[in-house]
């Protein structure tokens, strides 16, 4: 089983060095921005670790020592199969997990940049497509699944929408406080 401590320590070291260089170059520091940028980078590291080094829920003894590479190019096929699986945790893990994995990406990409929501969704789609291609060619026991791309993109959209809703709520709260202050 893959040990997550090593990449986490590596991530912290690389992130600290990177942010130190950025600080030395720009000479500005904001704890809010550091937290947002750190959470965005952590969401990318989480996506990488979960998709390239997945947690093995079950190993198939008959496939040990072999390489399995499946390809699903028909949209909604694996989603339908997951929904009809006899074990309730399969759709939660496959469908919910793929969506939830990209929600932080959409949210923190919205926080940390001035990109348009459409651009962030396209970035989420392209990131998911790259992951599926890497899984197909370089990661044993993984498959290329168009449904994963759809679900990951949906997660990115949900993250963007959550950020926009939270941002609007904060603007309304700020305006309400200002109007109460001046009245």
């Amino acid at each position: 089983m893959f040990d997550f401590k090593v990449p986490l320590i590596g991530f912290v070291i690389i992130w600290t060095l990177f942010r130190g260089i950025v600080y030395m170059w720009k000479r500005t520091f904001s704890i809010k921005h550091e937290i947002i940028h750190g959470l965005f980078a952590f969401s990318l590291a989480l996506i990488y670790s979960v998709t390239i080094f997945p947690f093995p829920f079950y190993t198939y003894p008959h496939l040990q020592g072999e390489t399995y590479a499946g390809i699903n190019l028909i949209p909604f096929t694996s989603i339908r199969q997951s929904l009809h699986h006899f074990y309730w945790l399969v759709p939660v893990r496959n469908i919910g997990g793929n969506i939830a994995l990209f929600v932080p990406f959409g949210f923190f990409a919205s926080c940390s940049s001035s990109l348009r929501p459409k651009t962030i969704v396209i970035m989420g789609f392209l990131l998911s497509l790259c992951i599926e291609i890497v899984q197909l060619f370089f990661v044993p026991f993984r498959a290329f699944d168009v449904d994963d791309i759809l679900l990951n993109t949906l997660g990115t959209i949900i993250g963007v929408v959550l950020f926009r809703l939270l941002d609007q709520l904060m603007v309304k709260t700020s305006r309400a406080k200002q109007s109460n202050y001046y009245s």
Side-chain angles (χ1 to χ4, degrees):
M1 183 153 62
F2 184 72
D3 184 12
F4 287 101
K5 287 182 239 169
V6 174
L8 183 61
I9 292 169
F11 167 77
V12 169
I13 292 170
I14 291 170
W15 182 253
T16 304
L17 289 172
F18 172 73
R19 294 311 296 173
I21 291 169
V22 169
Y23 171 73
M24 288 175 20
W25 187 10
K26 291 188 174 184
R27 296 284 183 201
T28 60
F29 181 81
S30 165
I31 193 72
K32 176 185 169 188
H33 287 112
E34 292 304 315
I35 290 171
I36 290 171
H37 288 126
L39 290 171
F40 176 68
F42 185 75
S43 75
L44 289 174
L46 179 68
I47 290 169
Y48 173 76
S49 65
V50 169
T51 57
I52 304 303
F53 300 106
F55 179 76
F57 285 99
Y58 178 75
T59 57
Y60 300 96
H62 64 283
L63 292 177
Q64 299 234 344
E66 298 178 22
T67 302
Y68 169 77
I71 300 174
N72 172 31
L73 298 176
I74 303 169
F76 306 108
T77 300
S78 65
I79 293 172
R80 204 171 315 114
Q81 289 172 348
S82 290
L83 289 172
H84 291 99
H85 199 275
F86 66 91
Y87 186 50
W88 67 272
L89 195 56
V90 169
V92 170
R93 193 187 95 180
N94 289 349
I95 297 170
N98 273 307
I99 293 170
L101 186 61
F102 273 70
V103 170
F105 173 81
F107 186 87
F108 292 116
S110 298
C111 287
S112 64
S113 71
S114 58
L115 297 174
R116 295 182 325 186
K118 180 180 176 181
T119 305
I120 294 170
V121 171
I122 291 170
M123 287 171 43
F125 169 80
L126 292 174
L127 177 61
S128 181
L129 177 63
C130 289
I131 288 168
E132 292 299 316
I133 291 170
V134 167
Q135 286 179 341
L136 176 63
F137 292 112
F138 302 108
V139 183
F141 297 104
R142 302 298 288 171
F144 181 97
D145 191 348
V146 70
D147 291 343
D148 289 352
I149 297 171
L150 294 173
L151 294 169
N152 294 159
T153 305
L154 177 60
T156 303
I157 292 168
I158 292 170
V160 169
V161 169
L162 286 174
F163 171 77
R164 295 186 58 97
L165 290 173
L166 183 64
D167 191 45
Q168 288 176 357
L169 179 66
M170 291 174 67
V171 167
K172 286 180 183 177
T173 304
S174 175
R175 286 183 187 156
K177 284 182 182 178
Q178 283 179 348
S179 68
N180 289 341
Y181 180 75
Y182 291 116
S183 47

